[in-house]
Amino acid sequence: MSVKEVALKFNYAFEGTLYAPNGNAEIGVKEGTLAPYDMLFGALAGCLYSTFLDVAMKKRISYESVDLLVTGEKRNEIPSTLKWVHVKALVHNPEKELGLEQAFELATRFCSIYETISKVAKMTYEIEFVYDGT
């Protein structure tokens, strides 16, 4: 079992700080802060990328970098869980497209946050390959 822990401190307004082992983040609705769904989508992208990277490394397939864009819509009903979430991955200068497509598909199955969100939302993804400077 792997226990994880973060701490948060808020004032009476929606202004606070998330304290995590590797860094802190300001939370709120003002410029320069993160809202709850910003953090959720960021957690999804971070988990998905970490899992994708692990699979790509095991397959010994390289690329230069990956840009991820996470988009989603909340339901109007209460509780207002997510209706759908879409992840778009731009893989820059890939070595083997098919292998990376397979790696990303595996990442969606093995990423715990992707799996968790999929229990309430329709999850979709797309992967696009970008060749910079060619």
Side-chain angles (χ1 to χ4, degrees):
M1 180 182 286
S2 178
V3 175
K4 304 292 182 190
E5 181 177 88
V6 298
L8 293 96
K9 182 174 182 169
F10 288 96
N11 63 15
Y12 193 67
F14 189 68
E15 300 169 341
T17 304
L18 173 132
Y19 300 94
N22 294 328
N24 305 329
E26 297 302 312
I27 301 169
V29 294
K30 293 181 181 177
E31 184 74 27
T33 64
L34 300 173
Y37 274 85
D38 298 337
M39 292 185 289
L40 179 65
F41 285 178
L44 169 61
C47 177
L48 193 55
Y49 179 71
S50 175
T51 308
F52 171 72
L53 177 61
D54 286 346
V55 175
M57 290 176 81
K58 285 178 182 156
K59 289 177 160 276
R60 298 176 193 257
I61 303 172
S62 65
Y63 52 87
E64 186 176 295
S65 63
V66 175
D67 300 330
L68 294 171
L69 175 65
V70 180
T71 310
E73 179 183 3
K74 287 174 63 177
R75 289 181 173 82
N76 291 326
E77 305 84 34
I78 305 233
S80 55
T81 59
L82 288 163
K83 185 186 290 186
W84 59 265
V85 175
H86 182 74
V87 179
K88 181 175 183 177
L90 299 174
V91 180
H92 295 265
N93 301 316
E95 186 178 271
K96 297 177 185 170
E97 290 183 10
L98 181 59
L100 290 174
E101 287 173 357
Q102 293 168 345
F104 203 83
E105 192 276 326
L106 284 170
T108 65
R109 287 196 277 147
F110 296 133
C111 167
S112 60
I113 296 174
Y114 192 98
E115 276 298 307
T116 300
I117 296 171
S118 76
K119 304 302 183 218
V120 297
K122 179 180 190 291
M123 302 292 288
T124 58
Y125 70 89
E126 66 182 294
I127 186 168
E128 187 177 313
F129 299 103
V130 179
Y131 295 90
D132 302 319
T134 57

